[in-house]
Amino acid sequence: MANTVQVDTVAEAYLELLAARGIKYFFGNGGTDFAPILEAYAKRFSQEQMLPKPIPVPHEITAVAMAHGYTMVTGKPQVVMVHTIPGTANATSGIINAARSNTPMLFTAGRTPLTEGDESGSRDGGIHWAQESFDQGSMVREWVKWDYELRPDADLEGVVDRALAITQSEPAGPVYLTLPREVLGKKIENFTYSDTPRMAPARDRMPSSDLIEETAKVLASAKNPILITRASGRDPKSVQPLVDLAELLGMPVFESGVAFVNFPQNHPLHAGGDVASHVPEADAIVILESDVPWIPKRTTPREDATIIAIGEDPLYSKYPIRGYRSDLTLAGSPRHTLAALVEAVKKIGVDSGAVKERTAKWAEARKKRFEATDARAEAGKDQTPINKAYFSRELAKHLGDDTILLSELGVDVSQVAFTTSGTTYGIPPAGSLGWAIGAALGAKLAAPEKTVICTLGDGSYIFGSGTSGHIVSEAQNLPVLFIVWNNGIWNAVKSSAKNMNPDGYAAKTDTWALTTLSQSFKYEMICQASGGYGERVEDPAEVPAAIERGLHAVQVEGRQALLNIIGA
Ligand SMILES: Cc1ncc(C[n+]2csc(CCOP(=O)(O)OP(=O)(O)O)c2C)c(N)n1
């Protein structure tokens, strides 16, 4: 059915349409380009008309990460608007994260006014000349699936519906729409649009039945199959078919990083993250939504092993180089592919004795791994600076189905057995640091009933603009527990230097130029400046009580908290 509404400008029609399409939040970091949007919001507030809720965010890195976090939890894309080229530049790091983790998002920016004359919205500020780019879309074109500038008299509904359909089509990822001020500010009287979007996203694709059958034959006859995943849990509905397939075959599930809950980590066939020594022994290897299943420099599959790649884009066509073998390539929705493989393997039949044996072997390996993990934490119990394994085990005692843990070089997630979808999210594979603070706020916005815990390195905290995050947390009433792992250094940078030159000058003299932060820095005071609870924790004996105090602040007092953990 068509709706016709009275509006004053294109900006107003745009907001009406976004709300009608189910966009709940409009994360904005504005500039002079926002004038028609601000006017439209004011008018519609006064008339109590439907709107995406505007969330002012003082740094673009937080705005993009908030939209990312919200969508990661709900699956529903939101809108971000930033200021012309400077805003796009600041936001790009977050857009790279969204792109590489297949997060849909309508990312938008104003355009500096196009005209120099008397038109409404034309240039009237000193910045309006220097802020113009010949091709603003080129700033992010490599990282978005589609970009377009809204033209005068454009088919607004067609453009927005197309943007939303493309961003959600698999493999999903952000799109970029630029909005010139004259176009947004153009006077119109009525806006007519359809109740339903003009286009549906393309998803739920399936490999052919021939390919399913061929793959099932390989898996059913394999003596030592293994599976490696990183991000199949982006679709929570893929977990059960993965469990079914693993159990049917007695096949261990390794994780090349924990981006989502891919597989219940308390399952006997959960095999942890250390796949290198198992790769050369496997005769069938399933790479399921994993961009880097192993490091080729460190391990190689057997020549006669069959490598099976499953995913929305199993060859990672957006990665410039990636040389992993793929003998059987199954593009499509993992949930459907896995379910079809389960049925096909059942039809063929498996050697149930061998499956039983393999399951028992991997269950035993898992038990030993858990004992070693626990021993690591126990050994670190009294260490100063605070030991990460010990701290993480203490934190794990408070995690469950009602918590969401985010980690960006934060805690040691191997100390936690995540079992339920949506209880943990890890750093996107592109590793553009600065994701966790905003993503945690977005997650809290999406799931206010859950306790959201954001764990991150001190370096990552700085990249994520803590100040901006704390201000949004207070303003939007989004109490999150932030845990800053303050080791006073960019440890990842130091480690990589050490790995490349283990006997070099830096290692011999213990000199790590360009990696130092400050362990004495009082991160807790930044949170306190926004009315939050803040505590510096140096004594390992204080860890359990400090975690309780942080949780009390967010769960009972309803305010954000930050624990500054002085760790190793
Ligand atoms: C935006 C950005 N800049 C620089 C880097 C390179 N980098 C990778 S890890 C790292 C250090 C992060 O420090 P921290 O969060 O404290 O974690 P730690 O390495 O100490 O575990 C840096 C700078 C990056 N990934 N992203």
Side-chain angles (χ1 to χ4, degrees):
M1 211 183 72
N3 286 319
T4 299
V5 287
Q6 187 279 321
V7 293
D8 285 345
T9 59
V10 169
E12 210 191 325
Y14 175 59
L15 294 181
E16 162 88 18
L17 184 61
L18 292 177
R21 294 299 182 249
I23 302 294
K24 280 186 80 172
Y25 296 104
F26 186 111
F27 301 96
N29 186 291
T32 51
D33 46 351
F34 276 48
I37 295 281
L38 264 54
E39 181 61 19
Y41 260 114
K43 181 189 162 202
R44 292 176 74 82
F45 278 145
S46 69
Q47 300 189 350
E48 297 182 358
Q49 284 162 312
M50 67 175 183
L51 283 168
K53 185 176 176 194
I55 309 274
V57 190
H59 197 294
E60 294 84 354
I61 197 88
T62 322
V64 172
M66 280 189 80
H68 187 149
Y70 184 92
T71 303
M72 169 180 101
V73 172
T74 60
K76 299 193 172 108
Q78 302 300 311
V79 168
V80 177
M81 182 166 176
V82 298
H83 173 56
T84 68
I85 53 172
T88 301
N90 272 1
T92 299
S93 175
I95 292 300
I96 292 170
N97 280 333
R100 290 297 199 226
S101 50
N102 299 115
T103 306
M105 186 185 300
L106 178 50
F107 174 52
T108 69
R111 278 272 277 116
T112 200
L114 303 171
T115 53
E116 297 177 302
D118 293 335
E119 299 84 348
S120 167
S122 65
R123 296 182 180 186
D124 57 6
I127 53 161
H128 288 158
W129 280 261
Q131 272 190 2
E132 179 156 36
S133 145
F134 283 106
D135 183 4
Q136 190 170 316
S138 70
M139 293 180 72
V140 289
R141 191 159 295 135
E142 183 168 354
W143 308 108
V144 297
K145 293 174 68 184
W146 168 90
D147 71 280
Y148 186 68
E149 176 187 299
L150 190 68
R151 306 286 153 84
D153 303 316
D155 166 16
L156 180 68
E157 183 187 13
V159 169
V160 169
D161 280 351
R162 183 159 146 77
L164 291 173
I166 291 174
T167 194
Q168 295 177 85
S169 292
E170 292 293 353
V175 293
Y176 185 52
L177 179 64
T178 56
L179 303 159
R181 196 163 83 158
E182 294 93 327
V183 177
L184 284 179
K186 182 158 190 239
K187 302 275 178 228
I188 50 174
E189 286 180 359
N190 292 313
F191 175 53
T192 301
Y193 66 96
S194 161
D195 266 353
T196 46
R198 208 178 289 174
M199 293 159 222
R203 40 192 180 201
D204 291 333
R205 296 167 308 147
M206 275 284 289
S208 72
S209 50
D210 287 353
L211 190 51
I212 292 285
E213 203 173 311
E214 193 183 346
T215 308
K217 275 186 196 150
V218 172
L219 290 174
S221 62
K223 301 269 176 293
N224 192 12
I226 65 172
L227 182 144
I228 305 150
T229 187
R230 180 179 197 283
S232 57
R234 177 166 70 90
D235 174 7
K237 290 194 178 135
S238 71
V239 176
Q240 190 55 50
L242 178 55
V243 170
D244 294 343
L245 187 67
E247 289 178 353
L248 185 62
L249 297 166
M251 172 175 67
V253 174
F254 289 88
E255 289 181 293
S256 54
V258 182
F260 302 91
V261 179
N262 300 305
F263 188 79
Q265 296 185 335
N266 61 351
H267 192 286
L269 287 165
H270 185 253
D274 193 5
V275 75
S277 61
H278 304 284
V279 166
E281 288 163 11
D283 56 352
I285 303 180
V286 183
I287 300 173
L288 170 66
E289 291 289 4
S290 175
D291 57 348
V292 184
W294 58 82
I295 303 292
K297 217 177 194 174
R298 309 218 176 102
T299 191
T300 318
R302 276 162 38 181
E303 282 282 320
D304 64 347
T306 306
I307 315 288
I308 300 159
I310 300 176
E312 295 287 3
D313 178 15
L315 298 183
Y316 291 83
S317 56
K318 296 284 183 188
Y319 286 28
I321 190 157
R322 181 179 178 278
Y324 295 92
R325 186 149 65 87
S326 179
D327 303 310
L328 294 165
T329 305
L330 285 75
S333 150
R335 101 166 86 131
H336 295 307
T337 305
L338 292 166
L341 284 173
V342 169
E343 290 315 309
V345 171
K346 275 186 187 162
K347 256 192 215 151
I348 297 165
V350 290
D351 175 348
S352 54
V355 167
K356 218 167 155 192
E357 224 170 87
R358 283 200 292 268
T359 305
K361 179 185 102 175
W362 289 110
E364 183 56 26
R366 180 185 167 279
K367 200 168 142 253
K368 287 209 177 103
R369 206 178 63 252
F370 263 59
E371 283 163 7
T373 305
D374 199 45
R376 246 190 355 262
E378 194 58 28
K381 209 162 87 196
D382 303 316
Q383 286 172 9
T384 311
I386 294 168
N387 176 281
K388 208 178 226 185
Y390 157 65
F391 180 89
S392 309
R393 187 182 62 175
E394 288 306 310
L395 184 64
K397 292 175 185 166
H398 299 272
L399 303 180
D401 287 359
D402 52 355
T403 55
I404 299 178
L405 181 103
L406 288 92
S407 181
E408 185 176 40
L409 305 179
V411 295
D412 173 2
V413 284
S414 72
Q415 291 290 334
V416 192
F418 297 100
T419 57
T420 309
S421 290
T423 54
T424 194
Y425 298 93
I427 181 172
S432 283
L433 296 178
W435 163 83
I437 297 176
L441 293 167
K444 183 71 184 169
L445 195 60
E449 71 289 359
K450 300 222 170 155
T451 298
V452 177
I453 304 172
C454 172
T455 72
L456 70 176
D458 45 353
S460 299
Y461 177 84
I462 298 164
F463 284 119
S465 182
T467 328
S468 158
H470 294 308
I471 288 174
V472 175
S473 172
E474 185 185 14
Q476 302 297 329
N477 189 22
L478 298 170
V480 166
L481 171 57
F482 299 99
I483 297 180
V484 178
W485 194 261
N486 181 355
N487 56 6
I489 191 164
W490 284 351
N491 202 34
V493 180
K494 172 183 162 181
S495 303
S496 106
K498 208 171 177 176
N499 285 345
M500 191 163 167
N501 289 302
D503 303 316
Y505 276 99
K508 277 189 193 141
T509 59
D510 199 20
T511 305
W512 308 101
L514 307 173
T515 60
T516 324
L517 298 170
S518 161
Q519 222 166 9
S520 61
F521 190 79
K522 298 181 173 65
Y523 294 94
E524 67 279 14
M525 293 182 80
I526 311 181
C527 182
Q528 286 166 355
S530 269
Y533 175 78
E535 181 175 346
R536 180 179 175 90
V537 188
E538 294 188 59
D539 178 359
E542 268 303 305
V543 163
I547 294 172
E548 299 266 6
R549 287 190 285 271
L551 286 170
H552 187 271
V554 296
Q555 291 171 335
V556 182
E557 298 167 44
R559 59 180 179 138
Q560 59 185 312
L562 188 150
L563 300 181
N564 176 9
I565 308 295
I566 309 306

